[in-house]
Amino acid sequence: MTDAPDGRPRPADQWRHRGIRGLTVARDVSVRGWRWWARTWDRLVAALQDEAPVGSAADPSPSGPLVEQRDAPRLIAVPARGYVYSFHIRATFAWSSPVSLRSEVLSWYVRYFQPTAVQRLTRLAADAARDLAPHRAGDLEVALQQALADEPEWTYQRGDLVITCRPDAAVRLDERIMPALQPHVDRMLKLEYQFDEQLRKARYAEELSRQWTTILSAHAEDQDIADARDHLLSTQREAARWITELLHHRADPVNTPPAPPHQRPTPT
């Protein structure tokens, strides 16, 4: 390679040097880019195959099967009898897989299968609610829990991978019906308090009569004491009858609760 008379490289040599430097830079960039793509590809393949990611800074995978708890995006509404009011169901699904999966992989399958699970729960709820009056949310919840207990685990499959879910449901009343139920519920609370109070008094009277009867039986030779004992035995039987009537009325609280024995009219 010969320089020009003024000592500078010839133009052809300058272009040759520039071309060699450009090729060298392009080669280095290509090698670094290929290495970056290779590392990225390895991480992607490891994630899809549920392997640990490349590198010492990777977090250890949790032991045991991974479970993801996911609520339905909104309350499920199903019509009650008459199709005027509805029941509203808050649904929760616990998703898992028999094989170990990374959390992002399980989340993808949860997003894929959860709409199908919500539809299935909606059909179960609609079948159970069709013949129920709109104020019987408790009965619908019991029926739903029984149906879910009969088949507690739902299974979904995509390819060779199996995903399972355990649904749970809680039922709420239609807010439009609550004002109509308020007076009835208040009355039932008042009656329940009266039942508890009268039942406590009846049991106390029965226990007290039993104690006095035991004491007086030790002195039965005295006629006055014997008469007092017979009166207490009659009071004890009346208290036991009162308890029976109260418990029967609690099961069917339509009529007025029975009055205590001392408030009943004495037959003439």
Side-chain angles (χ1 to χ4, degrees):
M1 182 172 57
T2 306
D3 294 336
D6 55 2
R8 293 181 298 176
R10 297 178 180 272
D13 295 334
Q14 292 179 351
W15 285 109
R16 188 180 298 110
H17 286 304
R18 292 175 183 175
I20 293 173
R21 283 199 304 269
L23 291 174
T24 302
V25 171
R27 182 199 60 189
D28 294 341
V29 170
S30 299
V31 171
R32 287 195 299 270
W34 170 253
R35 289 174 180 171
W36 181 85
W37 277 110
R39 289 194 301 269
T40 304
W41 179 258
D42 290 341
R43 291 192 179 96
L44 179 60
V45 172
L48 293 177
Q49 294 179 349
D50 194 32
E51 297 177 355
V54 179
S56 59
D59 296 331
S61 300
S63 59
L66 187 64
V67 178
E68 181 167 332
Q69 199 88 0
R70 188 75 68 92
D71 293 334
R74 62 187 62 85
L75 294 178
I76 301 172
V78 293
R81 187 175 63 197
Y83 289 82
V84 175
Y85 297 100
S86 299
F87 297 107
H88 299 279
I89 301 162
R90 182 180 299 278
T92 303
F93 303 89
W95 294 90
S96 61
S97 176
V99 299
S100 178
L101 293 178
R102 293 179 57 79
S103 59
E104 59 268 23
V105 177
L106 179 60
S107 296
W108 187 91
Y109 282 103
V110 169
R111 290 192 298 270
Y112 183 82
F113 285 120
Q114 179 142 321
T116 305
V118 170
Q119 290 178 1
R120 181 175 179 178
L121 184 60
T122 302
R123 287 195 298 269
L124 281 176
D127 291 341
R130 187 173 295 112
D131 297 325
L132 290 178
H135 67 280
R136 295 175 58 186
D139 294 337
L140 175 58
E141 184 165 323
V142 170
L144 261 182
Q145 293 295 343
Q146 182 60 49
L148 296 179
D150 293 340
E151 192 176 358
E153 194 171 80
W154 296 351
T155 302
Y156 299 92
Q157 185 170 358
R158 180 178 172 87
D160 296 333
L161 187 63
V162 175
I163 301 293
T164 60
C165 117
R166 287 182 172 270
D168 190 26
V171 183
R172 295 173 52 183
L173 281 173
D174 193 323
E175 293 183 357
R176 297 173 298 169
I177 203 173
M178 290 183 182
L181 290 178
Q182 181 88 33
H184 176 71
V185 173
D186 291 343
R187 179 175 177 273
M188 293 300 297
L189 288 175
K190 184 178 180 180
L191 289 176
E192 187 73 18
Y193 173 77
Q194 292 176 354
F195 288 151
D196 291 341
E197 183 68 14
Q198 292 187 9
L199 191 61
R200 184 186 63 82
K201 291 179 180 179
R203 286 174 173 164
Y204 176 75
E206 183 187 24
E207 179 63 25
L208 187 61
S209 297
R210 184 182 296 109
Q211 293 176 4
W212 275 108
T213 301
T214 302
I215 295 173
L216 295 178
S217 295
H219 305 280
E221 66 278 359
D222 190 307
Q223 186 59 42
D224 292 337
I225 294 179
D227 292 342
R229 184 196 61 184
D230 293 340
H231 176 71
L232 284 174
L233 285 173
S234 177
T235 304
Q236 181 180 343
R237 288 192 295 271
E238 190 67 21
R241 189 180 307 113
W242 185 28
I243 292 174
T244 302
E245 292 178 1
L246 284 171
L247 293 176
H248 176 73
H249 187 76
R250 180 190 290 265
D252 186 21
V254 177
N255 302 317
T256 305
H262 65 276
Q263 295 180 3
R264 300 180 182 180
T266 304
T268 57

